Amino acid sequence: MLTEDGVPDCESCGACCAYSWEWPTFIGDWDGDGIMEHLKEDGRMRCNGNRCAALMGTLGESVFCSVYEHRPLVCREFTAGSDACHTVRAQLGLRD
């Protein structure tokens, strides 16, 4: 689903959180603070396959991040509607 501005609605997408087990990596000493230890692994978020373990719900329908307030910097900097956003959506079959 797209917003009125033509930007994918993150709460009905989740593609960026299910694209790669490598990229939700912590950057710096404080990154990851506040995230429960069972959701961390080897300096990054633990993933189930390519899906971040903190992502709840159904991709392309309704999703949310269970650690949103403490999410890693790489997640905070990911921009909805960016080229990277559209790339991961396309890879997962979520068309605009």
Side-chain angles (χ1 to χ4, degrees):
M1 176 188 292
L2 299 179
T3 65
E4 292 177 11
D5 299 336
V7 175
D9 174 28
C10 296
E11 292 179 353
S12 67
C13 181
C16 59
C17 303
Y19 177 69
S20 171
W21 65 270
E22 297 177 313
W23 88 270
T25 302
F26 302 130
I27 302 168
D29 294 335
W30 62 269
D31 203 13
D33 285 356
I35 297 174
M36 295 170 282
E37 290 301 318
H38 75 277
L39 293 175
K40 299 185 214 181
E41 179 177 75
D42 299 326
R44 64 178 179 270
M45 293 297 296
R46 185 175 61 78
C47 290
N48 300 318
N50 285 345
R51 184 181 170 129
C52 178
L55 181 65
M56 303 289 125
T58 303
L59 287 179
E61 292 180 22
S62 178
V63 294
F64 69 94
C65 175
S66 66
V67 298
Y68 188 80
E69 288 184 33
H70 303 288
R71 69 195 183 280
L73 182 60
V74 68
C75 302
R76 292 173 188 273
E77 292 184 343
F78 194 85
T79 304
S82 66
D83 288 343
C85 170
H86 290 287
T87 297
V88 297
R89 284 176 54 80
Q91 175 123 3
L92 293 172
L94 300 172
R95 303 288 178 204
D96 295 338

